[in-house]
Amino acid sequence: MLPVLVRYVKFLGTSVIGTFTDMLVVWLLSDFVFEKGYWGEYLLSPVLSFQCAVLVNYTTFYFYVWKDKVASRRSVRFFFRRYLAYNLSCSGVFLLRFGAMLLIERFTGWDVVICSLLAMCVSGIINFLLTDNIVFRSRK
């Protein structure tokens, strides 16, 4: 139980980097690139910022949080295969996060950055469980 708890704390701590990346990119895109249109601000900006955060998080997880589970299998091919698995699992969680973000916005009318951040909090635990049990599962 303790190793999972330690890994979860590392996951939370390093996820701040991905969260910062996500929030920075969504802010830049929604305020400066797509201006104030709903499609650009609430659809395209979060999708593009999400993909940036996925890459940053996966790289951090691979080389730090789950490094013990990949140490013996490290290769370029393994990295990208696991990245694909991670991206797919995150995409599923993203759909939940995206739905939550839109619901929060619909009920509160808050800015996209606040709605996205709140929705990210809701989806974090699911993301950890999928990453630990599917993406970086131990070899049998």
Side-chain angles (χ1 to χ4, degrees):
M1 181 64 146
L2 186 60
V4 172
L5 185 58
V6 169
R7 193 176 313 277
Y8 184 66
V9 170
K10 285 181 176 181
F11 172 83
L12 289 176
T14 58
S15 291
V16 170
I17 299 166
T19 301
F20 176 77
T21 301
D22 198 340
M23 293 297 101
L24 178 64
V25 173
V26 80
W27 171 68
L28 290 171
L29 291 175
S30 65
D31 280 8
F32 299 108
V33 176
F34 296 115
E35 300 188 21
K36 294 297 176 190
Y38 189 83
W39 283 94
E41 188 175 10
Y42 284 94
L43 297 174
L44 291 175
S45 295
V47 169
L48 294 173
S49 68
F50 166 75
Q51 283 302 315
C52 292
V54 166
L55 181 60
V56 167
N57 275 340
Y58 176 74
T59 304
T60 306
F61 297 160
Y62 185 88
F63 289 106
Y64 176 64
V65 178
W66 278 276
K67 71 180 178 183
D68 58 315
K69 288 190 174 186
V70 300
S72 64
R73 302 180 280 175
R74 246 185 217 167
S75 69
V76 172
R77 182 178 176 176
F78 182 77
F79 178 89
F80 285 107
R81 288 180 67 140
R82 295 293 86 206
Y83 175 69
L84 178 61
Y86 180 71
N87 203 329
L88 289 172
S89 72
C90 283
S91 295
V93 173
F94 176 75
L95 292 175
L96 294 172
R97 175 184 147 200
F98 193 69
M101 181 195 69
L102 292 175
L103 282 173
I104 293 167
E105 187 278 329
R106 190 62 68 192
F107 287 110
T108 65
W110 293 341
D111 186 74
V112 65
V113 175
I114 301 297
C115 296
S116 187
L117 188 59
L118 290 172
M120 220 182 291
C121 293
V122 172
S123 62
I125 291 173
I126 296 168
N127 190 20
F128 173 78
L129 293 172
L130 288 172
T131 303
D132 192 48
N133 294 306
I134 294 174
V135 177
F136 293 112
R137 69 184 173 275
S138 295
R139 252 186 176 171
K140 302 246 179 197

